[in-house]
Amino acid sequence: MERLILLVILNIGMIQSASGNENTSPYLDLTYSYNADTLSWPGFIGFNQTIMIRGSDNQFGVYMEANDFCVSEHAGTQIDAPAHFVQGRRRLGAVPLDNLIGPGVKVDIKAKADANSDALLSAEDLEAWEEANGPIPDGAIVLMYTGWGIKYPNKDTFWNIDVNGTLHFPGVGTDAAQWLVDNRKINAIGTDGASLDSGNSGGKFLSHRILLAKDIVSLEYVANLDKLPAKGFTVFAIPMKIEEGSGGPVRIFATGWNPDVPNPFSIAGCSHITPIFNVYLIAMAFATLLF
């Protein structure tokens, strides 16, 4: 599994370069770039990068670039490990790769969020999704689309803080979190907002605690959810492996998002790997064995 994951990641840049157009690439990036505009939870540090070397004036006498950076675990497109809110559960370095890949499910509550910034994903929303699309598959990565991503990285509109200091953005209701734990076997849940729990939830982080207690990791600040279909795609969420981390930066991408482009990788037995891509994977596998 780890070697196959590595091969897929190695091929992303090649395929995107060859296509020259995101709309014809089999990969959709669901990650915001880390830069000076990166948002972090209020009170946490953002992303700071220091250029150490950029040019030929260095001890090696050749052109070189090297930087230092510092960032909160909970800034930008990021993952919450179970230990983030549940004592004794896995920290980031111990989260298995199998839990970071799965069939994608997009649950759209944008209409609710447009009408009410404190809107919650409900158990009824999940049941309605299943009525229209079939059962949420085992190992799924469920992505809640609220439309909040259009506000990123504007701090004022994204955090939506009122005169009393209360944040207002959509989240996952505790009934939905409990429904998923009781009725389905998902790997992860994500949102285009800042947190699984709504901004006005009072700082108890109840939905986080329900889900993380069952080793269901959380993905936050997920980009480009508006481009995903309701189902039929595969999600990869590959974080920085911070051994003692409560979370960290994560590169999230999807395959199978565009019905006009063949899905080069599918969790369900890899049944959608195209013949050309299959030959390429075999060649890369031999190269990996040789080196």
Side-chain angles (χ1 to χ4, degrees):
M1 170 66 87
E2 292 184 2
R3 177 163 290 173
L4 182 55
I5 292 165
L6 176 60
L7 294 176
V8 173
I9 293 172
L10 287 171
N11 292 321
I12 295 170
M14 294 184 178
I15 292 175
Q16 287 182 327
S17 297
S19 69
N21 187 333
E22 184 184 70
N23 291 329
T24 60
S25 171
Y27 299 96
L28 178 65
D29 197 347
L30 304 179
T31 312
Y32 291 114
S33 295
Y34 279 81
N35 53 42
D37 294 326
T38 294
L39 295 184
S40 61
W41 189 257
F44 288 33
I45 64 171
F47 179 79
N48 298 289
Q49 183 179 34
T50 302
I51 296 174
M52 304 303 293
I53 301 173
R54 185 167 293 183
S56 301
D57 185 14
N58 59 67
Q59 61 180 313
F60 304 105
V62 297
Y63 183 86
M64 180 178 177
E65 294 192 9
N67 312 299
D68 287 344
F69 70 87
C70 180
V71 65
S72 168
E73 292 177 331
H74 303 285
T77 304
Q78 55 100 6
I79 185 172
D80 291 341
H84 185 37
F85 281 112
V86 185
Q87 186 175 6
R89 305 303 292 184
R90 291 170 175 156
R91 295 191 174 97
L92 188 55
V95 175
L97 287 174
D98 287 350
N99 288 27
L100 302 172
I101 302 170
V105 166
K106 172 184 165 183
V107 184
D108 187 341
I109 66 163
K110 183 178 183 297
K112 289 171 65 171
D114 286 345
N116 176 13
S117 60
D118 299 320
L120 296 174
L121 175 71
S122 66
E124 289 77 11
D125 292 324
L126 295 170
E127 291 169 345
W129 188 95
E130 290 201 333
E131 184 175 348
N133 299 285
I136 295 171
D138 288 354
I141 295 181
V142 176
L143 300 173
M144 178 180 69
Y145 172 54
T146 71
W148 218 249
I150 198 171
K151 305 174 188 293
Y152 191 95
N154 186 308
K155 293 180 181 180
D156 293 336
T157 57
F158 196 83
W159 296 123
N160 197 21
I161 302 175
D162 66 22
V163 294
N164 297 314
T166 301
L167 286 69
H168 295 276
F169 53 77
V172 176
T174 54
D175 64 319
Q178 195 63 54
W179 188 92
L180 287 167
V181 165
D182 291 342
N183 298 285
R184 297 295 176 264
K185 297 177 181 179
I186 68 171
N187 279 347
I189 184 167
T191 175
D192 51 0
S195 173
L196 288 190
D197 289 276
S198 63
N200 70 338
S201 60
K204 300 297 184 183
F205 300 102
L206 296 178
S207 291
H208 271 90
R209 289 156 59 189
I210 291 168
L211 292 156
L212 294 176
K214 298 299 182 180
D215 291 328
I216 298 169
V217 297
S218 165
L219 306 171
E220 296 164 347
Y221 306 91
V222 184
N224 290 324
L225 292 190
D226 57 309
K227 298 178 182 178
L228 290 174
K231 63 177 183 177
F233 58 97
T234 303
V235 178
F236 298 75
I238 311 302
M240 182 184 295
K241 191 174 182 180
I242 305 172
E243 184 173 349
E244 293 292 305
S246 69
V250 60
R251 187 67 181 268
I252 309 175
F253 62 94
T255 65
W257 66 284
N258 187 341
D260 298 325
V261 179
N263 185 356
F265 189 83
S266 173
I267 292 299
C270 302
S271 60
H272 293 94
I273 293 181
T274 61
I276 293 176
F277 194 80
N278 196 28
V279 171
Y280 187 64
L281 280 180
I282 293 171
M284 288 295 292
F286 275 114
T288 302
L289 289 172
L290 288 173
F291 297 102

